[in-house]
Amino acid sequence: MLIVNQYKVIPIKDKNKKAQLDSLELNCSKVPYIRINRDAPTRDPYTGFRYAGAPIPQSIEGKDFKEIKIEIGYFDVETLALQPDEIKIENVFVEEINYWEYTNAEEGKGHCYKFHLRGEDGGKFIYEHDGSIKTFLGTILKKINKEIESGISFSEINIHFFKECSLDWEWDIHHKYFNPYNSILSMVYNCKLERKETFHSPYGSNYGITIDLESPYMYNPYVFWLFSKSIKDLKFVTKGKNRKYTGLVMSLPKYIEEELGLGDVIHPDYKNHVELDILSNIVLNYNEDFCRQAWKKLTPTWESNKYITPKISSELYNQYCIFRNMKCWHYIDGQYRVGRDDYEWDEDTYAIPVLGGCKISEKVLDAINRELKINFQYQEESQRYYFRVCGESETIAGMAKRRGGEISNENTISQILKIMLAEGV
């Protein structure tokens, strides 16, 4: 049996219970307990306790599960009597705890706990946890209660945030500094597409594209809302440590619909079209404050904001495809000087090849050079648009040398797209 004293989990052995309780100096007559049945040959590797339970007769998704309901309630420290019931720890009721053990051909054996939780406002959710009961109570539930005390109601809590905290002990630190906007852009640029026949009818088949956006972080209701403006049947799927948004893209230009009838291959141009559709929505509507608030809180305050619907013209699509081929490099270069300190500077280079004779329009080029304060120029001999910018030179104590290489162009392309949308391209 385990005694729960606020967030501390204290094992109580069957012998000498009274003496063990007296040594804890508990300040209440009844304390929550978790009772483990030790009759079955199943052992939890995290706590060492053994659990009882009969295998479920059916197989779910190819996994053989065993589910055990763990007894919880209150323990009277005077009479040593047990009263099975839901337990309350500060602002949260634990209605039930289930232990699941499974065997999977891909992942091997594993287990998890399912904590059925309820708040004082009536909100409910099930928290699945593959660590120990001690970790859940001492870390996760403690964080949840802290957020409730700060003013967030239980029903508004984004439970995925606390799951992420349990997976990454440094989450509280790096969450403070990471750039969610760049993370969302990266998800879109690296999305996976697959052709799908959505239904049959007497008049033929309807084709669409399934889209997977791998999430480097967790479910965020604001990000979900943004994606749902471009993606139908959107879902957030978790499997182990893998998390992704999945959905269906059905709004297609006519020439793309014709391409879909040719086979299962996704044409590169179509990926550009999907990116452009989603990115246009993001660059016009993204709000940093809403995104950060939504990590912990589900309340959709952003829906009251005016939503701007992007207008994607054929000219915008063509110009976007040109910029999608852009390469970016960042170097730290320098000048070696005998007998004196060397000079060193930062250097950024951008190059856009002209493929198939497709050039950037003068209107777009002028707007980008003006807004970003750069100077893209067309080089006839190389058939490319090229720009290089160098930072100020600084003296260094040591030998200067050139280092660096190709870098991601995602943020630069999103800046360019925002300018083109503002210009009404």
Side-chain angles (χ1 to χ4, degrees):
M1 182 171 62
L2 303 175
I3 295 295
V4 182
N5 183 13
Q6 193 175 13
Y7 299 115
K8 293 181 179 179
V9 181
I10 305 160
I12 300 293
K13 297 180 181 179
D14 293 335
K15 296 180 180 180
N16 302 321
K17 285 184 181 178
K18 188 64 177 175
Q20 294 174 69
L21 291 168
D22 290 342
S23 67
L24 296 176
E25 299 182 353
L26 299 171
N27 57 5
C28 53
S29 61
K30 291 185 178 181
V31 290
Y33 79 88
I34 299 169
R35 191 178 189 186
I36 310 300
N37 190 324
R38 307 183 184 212
D39 299 331
T42 303
R43 184 177 293 277
D44 174 7
Y46 286 86
T47 63
F49 289 105
R50 298 164 73 86
Y51 299 89
I56 295 177
Q58 70 226 19
S59 177
I60 304 173
E61 295 181 356
K63 300 178 181 179
D64 294 321
F65 283 95
K66 181 186 290 184
E67 181 180 21
I68 301 100
K69 184 176 179 179
I70 297 174
E71 183 185 327
I72 61 174
Y74 286 92
F75 180 74
D76 192 315
V77 299
E78 299 297 331
T79 65
L80 305 184
L82 298 175
Q83 180 187 350
D85 198 356
E86 65 181 18
I87 59 178
K88 184 181 180 184
I89 302 177
E90 292 206 19
N91 307 293
V92 179
F93 293 90
V94 181
E95 297 182 320
E96 185 179 317
I97 303 175
N98 295 332
Y99 175 82
W100 281 62
E101 186 182 74
Y102 61 86
T103 302
N104 183 297
E106 296 177 359
E107 301 173 4
K109 292 184 178 181
H111 81 278
C112 78
Y113 293 96
K114 288 188 177 182
F115 295 89
H116 297 250
L117 307 177
R118 174 170 58 87
E120 293 180 311
D121 61 355
K124 293 185 177 184
F125 55 72
I126 298 175
Y127 186 98
E128 295 186 7
H129 179 62
D130 61 2
S132 67
I133 292 175
K134 183 177 180 179
T135 301
F136 172 78
L137 296 176
T139 303
I140 310 306
L141 191 58
K142 189 173 184 178
K143 287 178 179 288
I144 291 173
N145 271 312
K146 186 177 179 181
E147 292 305 320
I148 294 173
E149 290 168 2
S150 72
I152 298 178
S153 66
F154 184 83
S155 58
E156 291 179 323
I157 284 176
N158 179 9
I159 194 61
H160 292 281
F161 175 84
F162 300 97
K163 287 184 178 180
E164 194 77 13
C165 291
S166 68
L167 294 172
D168 186 351
W169 298 110
E170 300 296 325
W171 172 253
D172 286 336
I173 298 174
H174 79 246
H175 172 255
K176 183 178 179 180
Y177 297 103
F178 85 98
N179 187 318
Y181 183 70
N182 287 345
S183 297
I184 295 170
L185 293 182
S186 180
M187 289 165 61
V188 178
Y189 285 120
N190 294 290
C191 70
K192 297 177 182 177
L193 305 176
E194 183 180 355
R195 178 176 175 272
K196 181 179 180 182
E197 189 172 3
T198 55
F199 63 82
H200 293 281
S201 74
Y203 308 101
S205 299
N206 189 19
Y207 293 99
I209 296 294
T210 57
I211 179 170
D212 288 353
L213 297 122
E214 298 292 336
S215 173
Y217 298 98
M218 71 195 79
Y219 168 75
N220 183 307
Y222 177 65
V223 175
F224 189 95
W225 178 76
L226 278 178
F227 284 160
S228 68
K229 296 296 183 179
S230 305
I231 305 169
K232 306 298 182 185
D233 301 326
L234 189 65
K235 297 176 183 176
F236 181 73
V237 181
T238 62
K239 184 179 180 182
K241 294 185 178 180
N242 297 321
R243 302 170 297 287
K244 64 182 178 181
Y245 297 83
T246 68
L248 187 66
V249 180
M250 290 295 296
S251 179
L252 313 174
K254 187 65 179 177
Y255 76 94
I256 299 245
E257 289 181 351
E258 294 172 354
E259 282 183 358
L260 288 176
L262 300 178
D264 294 336
V265 177
I266 301 299
H267 196 275
D269 285 350
Y270 182 63
K271 191 174 190 306
N272 288 344
H273 174 81
V274 172
E275 284 181 5
L276 178 60
D277 188 28
I278 301 173
L279 289 174
S280 298
N281 169 41
I282 292 170
V283 299
L284 289 177
N285 294 284
Y286 178 79
N287 183 290
E288 180 81 11
D289 291 336
F290 287 152
C291 189
R292 289 191 177 275
Q293 292 167 13
W295 286 130
K296 297 182 182 179
K297 191 174 181 180
L298 296 175
T299 305
T301 53
W302 47 84
E303 291 185 355
S304 60
N305 251 31
K306 184 180 178 181
Y307 173 75
I308 304 172
T309 303
K311 297 179 181 179
I312 301 177
S313 63
S314 58
E315 182 186 0
L316 177 64
Y317 171 74
N318 290 333
Q319 295 294 296
Y320 176 79
C321 288
I322 295 172
F323 283 102
R324 194 65 183 87
N325 296 314
M326 179 171 61
K327 302 292 183 182
C328 303
W329 295 268
H330 175 77
Y331 290 102
I332 298 175
D333 207 349
Q335 179 184 3
Y336 176 66
R337 304 195 304 170
V338 178
R340 293 175 292 173
D341 287 342
D342 291 355
Y343 280 135
E344 192 171 77
W345 61 84
D346 287 315
E347 179 184 306
D348 291 315
T349 303
Y350 304 85
I352 306 173
V354 172
L355 305 175
C358 296
K359 292 186 177 182
I360 304 171
S361 73
E362 290 299 323
K363 176 184 178 182
V364 169
L365 195 62
D366 290 343
I368 290 170
N369 284 339
R370 181 177 65 251
E371 294 296 326
L372 297 183
K373 295 180 173 56
I374 58 179
N375 188 26
F376 264 121
Q377 291 186 334
Y378 181 64
Q379 296 178 333
E380 189 72 43
E381 67 282 2
S382 303
Q383 293 190 332
R384 66 177 183 178
Y385 292 89
Y386 182 83
F387 173 65
R388 184 179 69 173
V389 57
C390 294
E392 293 185 5
S393 298
E394 296 180 357
T395 57
I396 61 168
M399 185 175 290
K401 61 179 180 180
R402 186 172 176 83
R403 57 195 184 275
E406 190 172 338
I407 59 172
S408 171
N409 60 13
E410 295 164 1
N411 194 53
T412 305
I413 291 179
S414 71
Q415 288 180 295
I416 291 171
L417 175 57
K418 188 172 185 177
I419 295 169
M420 290 194 291
L421 287 166
E423 289 290 319
V425 175

